[in-house]
Amino acid sequence: MTRLIEFVIALALVLALFLVIGLVLPSSRQLQESIETNRRMTIVFDTLNNVRRLKDWNPLIPSAANELSYSGGEDNTGVGAKVDFNSANAAWGQGSWEITESERPAPTGGPGKIVYSIVDKRMGTDKRSTFALEPSGKNNRNVKVTQSYEVSYGFNLIGRYAGMYVSRHVGDAVKAGLGKLSNMLATVPNIDYREAGSTLSDLKIVDVPAEDLLVVNAGNIDRNNDAIKGSIKSNQEWIKRVMDANGLVAAGPLRIITTDFGTEKYAFDVAQPVRKGSAAPKADAAAEGAAPVTPPSAPVASTGELKVTIPSGAPVEYVRTQARKSAYGSYTGYMSQLDNQRNALRAWAVTAGHEVVDRPYESWKSGVDGAFLEDGKFDVYWAVKQ
């Protein structure tokens, strides 16, 4: 009986000690980690402000697309944007990350902030992660990203004890995630597509219909305007011969599909969207004063595969593309600046959570000669993975 009483007293002392220590332990925990990147503030902010990009670098949520669902915000960005996850892996289980605050840096520079509210299986309540962005480095060309994690345990004594290990269970994941974020940002073209006065505008994802194209591979052309213009016009002549031979008309502006834009050479294809003409033009139409037909400014959907006969010796290929989604931007300026616009479009697309595929192309809405002037007009496209 004495031993039983001693055991009960010892147990009571242990429980009392557990309670006392638990009450002394902090009722909340906070940790933070930082990295520095040389990417533009726009790229860093837009990446963190988009819940679709979380899976690509954040170890605190699953990365499998079939375990994630997105809702809220403007295209899943900004306040209200939310990613829910439901994983069979016990490391994640069920939960969500939702943006509750989003402060975009001023166009003239300055800090930015994004706050996520977190629900997951880990102990604690009122969990949130804050990303503070600050210009840093020489002439403020870099961005310092500081991620903090906060959790409250209240009077949950077991939670308070669990908080003693939050730096290991969560802190290590935060540190690893920021490392992955830095590596991911390094793959994005370092172009500020939101810069004031940018000549690339109306950035968005569009649906491009199936199209019929006549295509010529121009090969590797010297990177000077005369050589590029001469190559395009020469290949246009080949395309026109095939169009005339098959009763085809233009179904959109001429387009240039870029294969490689090097320091000395430019490899590209010349492509013309086409459709069947309603009727063959009269041979003396010009003499009668008939005006040339202006091709549509936007892509025209194919009504079915065309039967195209390529004359012997013509370096022209008939290609029918499938309907697809594409990143899109409208650009006004010199043709020589198109490579920068392509990279800017890719930077916008990947920060918005899209993976670009295939080769980019531009519709030359001002024609060949007009494209080499300061007010040349182009529609820039880059297909995205669906």
Side-chain angles (χ1 to χ4, degrees):
M1 187 65 178
T2 303
R3 291 186 177 277
L4 179 59
I5 295 174
E6 289 176 348
F7 175 77
V8 171
I9 293 173
L11 182 60
L13 289 173
V14 170
L15 290 175
L17 185 62
F18 173 83
L19 292 172
V20 170
I21 294 176
L23 290 171
V24 172
L25 288 173
S27 61
S28 63
R29 295 280 180 170
Q30 181 179 20
L31 58 87
Q32 67 178 36
E33 297 284 350
S34 298
I35 58 165
E36 190 168 304
T37 175
N38 64 356
R39 298 296 96 170
R40 300 293 183 92
M41 178 66 83
T42 294
I43 294 171
V44 180
F45 181 86
D46 284 356
T47 298
L48 293 171
N49 197 45
N50 189 316
V51 294
R52 288 186 173 272
R53 300 281 2 226
L54 285 173
K55 64 178 175 57
D56 299 321
W57 61 269
N58 185 359
L60 294 174
I61 70 169
S63 58
N66 63 345
E67 297 179 339
L68 305 171
S69 61
Y70 304 96
S71 61
E74 183 179 353
D75 295 327
N76 304 136
T77 67
V79 174
K82 183 179 182 181
V83 55
D84 289 279
F85 55 88
N86 186 356
S87 175
N89 190 322
W92 295 295
Q94 293 181 323
S96 65
W97 281 54
E98 180 179 0
I99 299 177
T100 55
E101 295 180 44
S102 178
E103 298 177 10
R104 182 177 292 277
T108 55
K113 184 174 76 169
I114 301 137
V115 180
Y116 280 87
S117 174
I118 304 170
V119 176
D120 60 22
K121 71 182 190 65
R122 295 178 179 85
M123 283 195 173
T125 59
D126 300 327
K127 285 174 268 190
R128 69 179 199 164
S129 186
T130 300
F131 295 89
L133 312 180
E134 302 174 80
S136 63
K138 186 177 180 181
N139 297 323
N140 285 333
R141 293 181 178 177
N142 295 344
V143 177
K144 181 181 179 182
V145 182
T146 300
Q147 180 182 0
S148 63
Y149 175 86
E150 301 169 57
V151 57
S152 175
Y153 301 109
F155 287 99
N156 183 337
L157 301 186
I158 296 177
R160 293 190 182 193
Y161 277 98
M164 297 171 63
Y165 306 98
V166 72
S167 61
R168 187 179 69 184
H169 295 156
V170 178
D172 289 351
V174 168
K175 187 174 183 179
L178 287 177
K180 289 183 68 176
L181 174 65
S182 178
N183 292 335
M184 186 183 77
L185 289 172
T187 66
V188 181
N190 200 18
I191 298 175
D192 188 349
Y193 44 82
R194 296 190 190 277
E195 189 174 22
S198 173
T199 51
L200 183 67
S201 61
D202 198 22
L203 296 170
K204 58 187 177 182
I205 299 296
V206 297
D207 289 304
V208 179
E211 297 176 285
D212 299 298
L213 306 176
L214 294 180
V215 182
V216 178
N217 183 344
N220 274 320
I221 307 301
D222 288 337
R223 262 193 61 186
N224 68 71
N225 287 351
D226 291 338
I228 294 172
K229 184 188 293 186
S231 174
I232 293 173
K233 287 191 171 184
S234 174
N235 290 317
Q236 267 188 305
E237 286 299 318
W238 282 112
I239 291 173
K240 186 176 184 303
R241 293 180 192 179
V242 175
M243 291 173 64
D244 291 342
N246 290 272
L248 303 174
V249 296
L254 178 78
R255 69 181 54 167
I256 301 299
I257 306 169
T258 296
T259 301
D260 181 56
F261 192 81
T263 55
E264 297 180 357
K265 298 286 186 178
Y266 182 25
F268 61 91
D269 291 351
V270 179
Q272 176 63 61
V274 294
R275 59 181 172 84
K276 206 68 177 175
S278 56
K282 295 180 181 179
D284 58 349
E288 295 179 2
V293 177
T294 302
S297 59
V300 175
S302 169
T303 57
E305 187 166 349
L306 300 176
K307 292 183 178 179
V308 179
T309 301
I310 307 296
S312 178
V316 181
E317 179 185 6
Y318 166 64
V319 177
R320 186 172 189 273
T321 65
Q322 299 300 313
R324 61 209 178 276
K325 288 189 178 294
S326 179
Y328 164 89
S330 176
Y331 165 64
T332 301
Y334 287 108
M335 170 269 171
S336 58
Q337 294 299 311
L338 276 173
D339 193 54
N340 284 339
Q341 311 312 315
R342 286 189 285 269
N343 284 325
L345 182 63
R346 182 163 75 92
W348 172 82
V350 296
T351 57
H354 303 283
E355 180 182 347
V356 294
V357 295
D358 299 330
R359 295 179 294 167
Y361 66 88
E362 299 84 40
S363 291
W364 289 31
K365 299 170 71 174
S366 299
V368 178
D369 290 325
F372 291 84
L373 303 177
E374 64 178 350
D375 59 350
K377 296 187 182 302
F378 307 84
D379 286 339
V380 187
Y381 293 87
W382 205 323
V384 296
K385 189 174 182 179
Q386 300 187 56

